[in-house]
Each structure stands twice: as C-alpha cells, then as structure tokens.
C-alpha cells in the first residue's frame, strides 16, 4: 500500500529564495456607457478587426497588431512610445477571449507590459444591454497590478481613465458614416 506524505513547498521553486516578493494589488472598477447604436453594431465593433483598430490601439510608433475574435483567440499589440527626456517605452498587450455571446457579452483576460515587464493583468467582462435608444455597455475590469509604477496610487486611475478614453473612441467609431458598425 502506497502512502502519500505532505511536503512543505520548496521556497526555491519560484526563484525568490530570501528575496522579498512585492505584493500584488487588486482593484475592480466599472464603467457604464450609453451608445446610440444597437447591440449588434456594438458587438461588431469589438469583433471586426478593421473597426476595432479605429478605437482600440496602443499609443506610439512601430506598431504590430493581430486579432482573432474567437474563444481561445485573442489580440496582441506592441508599440514604442516616446518619453520626453527618457528612453522610449516598449508597450505590449496580449489578450485571450474566454467567453463570447454574440450581441450580449464578451469576457477576456489581458496582460499589459512596459519594457517587457508585466505591469498588470485583468479580467474584463463587457455586457451589452439593449435599450430603446441604443445599448448600455457595462465594462467591469478586475485588475491585478503586478509591478507598480513610480507612482502606484496613480495606476488604477490611469487604467480607468484609459478605459474611458478607449470607450469614447468606440462611441465615435459607431457614429453614422464611420464604417459598417454605424
């Protein structure tokens, strides 16, 4: 008869023997937005790569981009962002779609990197709620800040503000005359 012994975790397994491991800070925020477009058009603005590129992109130059809007697929992007008086930052983004319900819901995870260092990773749930005059979009993001910036108290407001700006871009992409989504 075989027996199983419980063993203590090996502290060297994570490569941090004796090194303090900085804590991960978790935050959640919700952004709501009324869009004067049907849920099907809002969904298409997430799904159709050419429309999505008009409202969701990294700042900077030397951009690379790929998008596969399927469960298990995702989005990757990178760019170089000039910083006055400092070396340019290399930005990276990688996501994976976990759940897609046409015209209703999109759930995905993503990781944001600066100079190849993972800064944060998030779980995002986007709900599209039909209304008489369009769609109510509800964006819920649960972020784990892995590497704090020089001003960690600004990390969550920066992420929330960037999300609001991106969603303003979505609203602009849905206006009539702006492509198939409008």
């Amino acid at each position: 008869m075989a027996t199983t012994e419980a063993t203590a975790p090996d502290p060297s397994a994570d490569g941090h023997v004796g090194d303090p491991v900085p804590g991960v800070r978790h935050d959640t925020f919700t952004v709501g937005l009324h869009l004067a477009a049907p849920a099907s058009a809002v969904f298409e603005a997430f799904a159709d790569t050419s429309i999505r590129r008009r409202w969701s992109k990294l700042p900077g130059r030397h951009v690379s981009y790929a998008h596969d809007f399927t469960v298990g697929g995702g989005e990757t992007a990178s760019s170089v962002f000039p910083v006055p008086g400092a070396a340019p930052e290399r930005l990276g983004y990688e996501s994976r779609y976990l759940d897609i319900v046409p015209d209703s819901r999109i759930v995905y995870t993503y990781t944001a990197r600066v100079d190849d260092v993972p800064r944060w990773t998030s779980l995002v749930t986007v709900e599209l709620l039909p209304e008489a005059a369009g769609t109510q979009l509800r964006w819920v993001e649960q972020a784990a800040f892995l590497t704090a910036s020089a001003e960690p108290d600004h990390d969550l407001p920066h992420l929330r503000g960037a999300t609001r700006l991106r969603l303003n871009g979505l609203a602009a992409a849905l206006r009539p005359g702006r492509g198939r989504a409008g």
Side-chain angles (χ1 to χ4, degrees), residues 69-99:
F69 191 73
T70 60
V71 171
E75 189 173 28
T76 58
S78 65
S79 70
V80 176
F81 184 74
V83 178
E89 292 179 332
R90 292 181 322 279
L91 306 179
Y93 172 93
E94 185 174 348
S95 73
R96 172 89 46 219
Y97 292 108
L98 304 174
D99 183 52

Side-chain angles (χ1 to χ4, degrees), residues 74-129:
E75 189 173 28
T76 58
S78 65
S79 70
V80 176
F81 184 74
V83 178
E89 292 179 332
R90 292 181 322 279
L91 306 179
Y93 172 93
E94 185 174 348
S95 73
R96 172 89 46 219
Y97 292 108
L98 304 174
D99 183 52
I100 298 172
V101 179
D103 304 342
S104 180
R105 180 178 65 229
I106 303 162
V107 180
Y108 66 97
T109 62
Y110 77 91
T111 301
R113 298 177 184 279
V114 177
D115 293 330
D116 300 320
V117 174
R119 291 283 309 283
W120 71 88
T121 190
S122 287
L123 172 66
V124 177
T125 302
V126 178
E127 296 175 293
L128 307 177
L129 308 166

Side-chain angles (χ1 to χ4, degrees), residues 34-35 129-136:
H34 174 79
L35 297 161
L129 308 166
E131 297 180 331
T135 302
Q136 180 67 29

Side-chain angles (χ1 to χ4, degrees), residues 8-175:
D10 178 0
S12 66
D14 66 1
H16 293 285
V17 176
D19 292 340
V21 177
V24 174
R25 192 178 80 241
H26 297 88
D27 285 303
T28 299
F29 66 92
T30 300
V31 176
L33 179 66
H34 174 79
L35 297 161
S40 60
V42 177
F43 183 82
E44 183 180 3
F46 278 86
D48 183 286
T49 300
S50 65
I51 298 170
R52 184 167 175 79
R53 290 293 292 146
R54 291 202 307 260
W55 65 271
S56 181
K57 51 179 117 178
L58 291 176
R61 300 181 291 223
H62 309 292
V63 175
S64 69
Y65 183 78
H67 186 223
D68 174 11
F69 191 73
T70 60
V71 171
E75 189 173 28
T76 58
S78 65
S79 70
V80 176
F81 184 74
V83 178
E89 292 179 332
R90 292 181 322 279
L91 306 179
Y93 172 93
E94 185 174 348
S95 73
R96 172 89 46 219
Y97 292 108
L98 304 174
D99 183 52
I100 298 172
V101 179
D103 304 342
S104 180
R105 180 178 65 229
I106 303 162
V107 180
Y108 66 97
T109 62
Y110 77 91
T111 301
R113 298 177 184 279
V114 177
D115 293 330
D116 300 320
V117 174
R119 291 283 309 283
W120 71 88
T121 190
S122 287
L123 172 66
V124 177
T125 302
V126 178
E127 296 175 293
L128 307 177
L129 308 166
E131 297 180 331
T135 302
Q136 180 67 29
L137 181 143
R138 183 170 182 250
W139 179 291
V140 179
E141 186 158 345
Q142 299 165 284
F145 291 94
L146 307 172
T147 306
S149 69
E151 298 182 46
D153 290 341
H154 295 180
D155 291 347
L156 179 63
H158 172 80
L159 179 56
R160 187 175 32 233
T163 299
R164 289 179 193 264
L165 286 173
R166 190 174 323 118
L167 293 176
N168 287 345
L170 169 62
L174 289 167
R175 289 192 190 114

